[in-house]
Amino acid sequence: MVPSKYQASNGTADDSAAVSQAFAQCATDSVIIFDEGVNYNIFQPITATNLSNVEIRMHGNLHLPQNITAVQNIVSDGTSTWFTLEGPKVDWIGPEDVNNGWIDSYGQPWWDANPAGSSGIDNRPHLMSFKSSQATLKYFRSRKPIAWNVKLHGQDITVSHAIIDATSTGSFPFNTDGFDVEGTNIQITDSIMYNGDDAIAVGADSHDILFTRNTIGYQTHGMSIGSLGKDPTDFA
């Protein structure tokens, strides 16, 4: 693997274009390093769908926009997922140090803006789509997600030591699913999920899914299998 490093603005500008360029230039047999303790502003969605044998060392911290209207406009224009990573053998590796490796989405104002009796305001992005095989998510950390966290699709994927913190100081954090899983031989272990929806939701046609040694809490629903409850005939 060939290491590639990008010097971030460390909170002074939008780093999205440079990060997208790094993923494009280092899409194969590469190591992409986000430096420890450095802040990266990701104010536009990142899409990398041609990855192969790439290790992402997420030792820095990623920050989404705090302007709700700006994010809603991006989603309404057709981009509903902020980070889209696809390809075989993709590894997202964070640091053991719990102070680093976070994605900060600043979801609290979104939750507090929920109209009474609703399940959230319109045009909320999913945080990440991770579609891979023979892949790893280790020390993945998400703080105050706006809505859904990780769509985890593929086969032979291992998630460990993840933290998803959707603990609210105000309104209920609707649809802050931890992992929406669809595939084969996917393991999620030794992780923490404090959220307001499913810790894990297992989609149709999935099998060999292991969810063990995890701590779930706050107001999580726990585990959902398929779409039980959407169709009244499910209870017939």
Side-chain angles (χ1 to χ4, degrees):
M1 288 187 176
V2 177
S4 174
K5 296 187 70 175
Y6 158 67
Q7 186 64 44
S9 70
N10 204 18
T12 63
D14 183 2
D15 299 300
S16 305
V19 170
S20 291
Q21 184 178 28
F23 274 106
Q25 293 178 345
C26 306
T28 304
D29 301 329
S30 299
V31 178
I32 299 174
I33 301 169
F34 292 78
D35 285 334
E36 185 171 355
V38 176
N39 293 304
Y40 299 79
N41 288 331
I42 309 299
F43 291 165
Q44 296 291 325
I46 303 296
T47 299
T49 58
N50 63 336
L51 303 177
S52 178
N53 195 31
V54 172
E55 179 180 322
I56 303 164
R57 295 182 185 170
M58 185 49 64
H59 290 192
N61 299 296
L62 309 183
H63 299 269
L64 270 61
Q66 298 185 51
N67 185 314
I68 290 177
T69 302
V71 175
Q72 287 179 312
N73 288 338
I74 290 170
V75 173
S76 66
D77 283 342
T79 303
S80 60
T81 303
W82 213 257
F83 298 94
T84 301
L85 306 176
E86 295 184 10
K89 298 182 179 179
V90 176
D91 296 323
W92 175 291
I93 310 295
E96 293 188 34
D97 178 6
V98 75
N99 295 304
N100 292 301
W102 287 93
I103 302 176
D104 279 296
S105 300
Y106 302 97
Q108 187 71 54
W110 291 76
W111 310 335
D112 292 342
N114 289 338
S118 77
S119 59
I121 61 177
D122 292 336
N123 296 324
R124 293 169 297 155
H126 291 250
L127 180 59
M128 178 178 290
S129 175
F130 188 85
K131 186 175 183 180
S132 189
S133 59
Q134 301 179 51
T136 301
L137 279 173
K138 188 174 184 180
Y139 297 115
F140 172 86
R141 295 174 181 138
S142 170
R143 181 158 44 214
K144 302 284 187 179
I146 294 168
W148 304 265
N149 280 275
V150 182
K151 301 178 191 176
L152 195 64
H153 292 184
Q155 60 187 14
D156 304 321
I157 301 173
T158 300
V159 179
S160 67
H161 302 91
I163 302 176
I164 290 173
D165 183 5
T167 305
S168 176
T169 57
S171 297
F172 186 78
F174 278 104
N175 298 122
T176 49
D177 286 34
F179 293 92
D180 292 334
V181 175
E182 187 172 317
T184 304
N185 191 26
I186 297 174
Q187 300 184 10
I188 301 174
T189 68
D190 304 295
S191 296
I192 299 171
M193 281 153 266
Y194 293 144
N195 68 334
D197 214 302
D198 307 310
I200 176 175
V202 181
D205 299 322
S206 298
H207 58 90
D208 296 321
I209 308 299
L210 177 66
F211 187 79
T212 187
R213 299 194 307 274
N214 298 299
T215 301
I216 62 175
Y218 183 55
Q219 299 188 52
T220 182
H221 298 172
M223 174 182 285
S224 294
I225 306 294
S227 299
L228 186 64
K230 288 187 177 181
D231 185 343
T233 60
D234 289 339
F235 300 98

